[in-house]
């Protein structure tokens, strides 16, 4: 499925496109090549945490329940691109019609209804939930709405049953209407926990107020 991916020796968050590259001049870009443990360690250091999948989606919708995108139902309202995704013949040529071929600095497109940038496209974001394809089906089985769900207790991906995967959300600059339309707000991705890539980062949230449980209405946007 991902036959166009290759392993780049020496690529890491400080050297995002390989050992010869560095992050000088990329201070406004989302951090990439981050495994789940890296993201988690950063959030702990910053006294924050990763969002659950439910918190992430609540925040991404920005108050627009039931719509296809974080900004509404049209991909290009008024002919204007609303996120950094992929245009052109995938994966041969990224035309960059949205202004960016490849990754973009943060906040180059309008914020959503909650003032959050880049909830679609640019880079995928780690969520704290374990990945199972049947998460939603299992919840629906009981017919009762679940409040602030924390995700399943264990991971399971039938495609790779021995791998432990967490949820990815948001899609990336590689998502295109020809192949991966996961810049749509209700869609999800998945990733093995030790695997980073050049289109996967994360966003922190912080639990606030007197409540012991976090809620997405105090989600803070900070894409490092
Ligand atoms: Ca683009």
């Amino acid at each position: 499925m991902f036959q166009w991916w290759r392993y780049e020796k020496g690529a890491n968050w400080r050297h995002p496109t390989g050992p010869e590259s560095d992050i000088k001049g990329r201070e406004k870009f989302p951090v990439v090549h981050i495994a789940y443990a890296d993201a988690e360690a950063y959030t702990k250091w910053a006294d924050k945490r990763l969002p659950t999948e439910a918190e992430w989606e609540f925040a991404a919708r920005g108050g627009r329940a039931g719509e296809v995108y974080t900004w509404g139902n049209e991909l290009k309202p008024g002919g204007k691109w609303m996120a950094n995704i992929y245009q052109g013949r995938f994966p041969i040529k990224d035309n960059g019609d949205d202004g960016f071929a490849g990754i973009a600095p943060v906040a180059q497109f309008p914020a959503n209804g909650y003032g959050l940038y880049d909830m679609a496209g640019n880079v995928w974001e780690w969520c704290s939930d374990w990945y199972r394809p049947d998460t939603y089906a299992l919840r629906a089985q009981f017919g009762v709405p679940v409040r602030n769900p924390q995700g399943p207790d264990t991971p399971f991906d039938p495609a790779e049953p021995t791998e432990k995967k967490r949820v990815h959300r948001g899609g990336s600059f590689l998502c295109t209407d020809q192949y991966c339309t996961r810049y749509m707000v209700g869609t999800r991705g998945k990733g093995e926990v030790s695997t980073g890539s050049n289109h996967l980062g994360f966003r922190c949230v912080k639990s606030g107020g007197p409540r012991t449980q976090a809620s997405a209405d105090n989600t803070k946007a900070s894409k490092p």
Side-chain angles (χ1 to χ4, degrees), residues 83-87 94-103 109 173-174:
N84 181 21
I85 56 174
Y86 191 104
Q87 297 89 28
D94 183 348
N95 292 340
D97 295 343
D98 54 26
F100 301 94
I103 196 168
F109 296 87
F173 60 85
L174 291 174

Side-chain angles (χ1 to χ4, degrees), residues 52-65:
T52 65
E53 184 176 13
E55 287 171 333
W56 192 97
E57 184 169 331
F58 186 94
R61 289 192 178 277
R64 307 179 71 105

Side-chain angles (χ1 to χ4, degrees), residues 118-157:
D118 302 318
M119 296 305 287
N122 212 20
V123 297
W124 285 98
E125 300 174 19
W126 283 111
C127 291
S128 59
D129 293 33
W130 287 116
Y131 173 80
R132 288 184 66 98
D134 56 2
T135 304
Y136 292 92
L138 289 172
R139 274 180 210 153
Q141 196 176 308
F142 299 103
V144 206
V146 184
R147 196 173 167 75
N148 196 18
Q150 303 294 304
D153 294 334
T154 50
F156 182 66
D157 181 2

Side-chain angles (χ1 to χ4, degrees), residues 41-104:
Y42 178 89
T43 63
K44 280 189 181 143
W45 171 82
D47 194 25
K48 296 175 185 175
R49 61 182 175 79
L50 291 169
T52 65
E53 184 176 13
E55 287 171 333
W56 192 97
E57 184 169 331
F58 186 94
R61 289 192 178 277
R64 307 179 71 105
E67 296 189 344
V68 178
Y69 306 106
T70 62
W71 56 84
N73 284 318
E74 249 187 280
L75 178 60
K76 286 171 69 185
K80 195 170 159 7
W81 291 102
M82 297 295 282
N84 181 21
I85 56 174
Y86 191 104
Q87 297 89 28
R89 189 155 160 250
F90 189 82
I92 314 297
K93 173 87 175 92
D94 183 348
N95 292 340
D97 295 343
D98 54 26
F100 301 94
I103 196 168

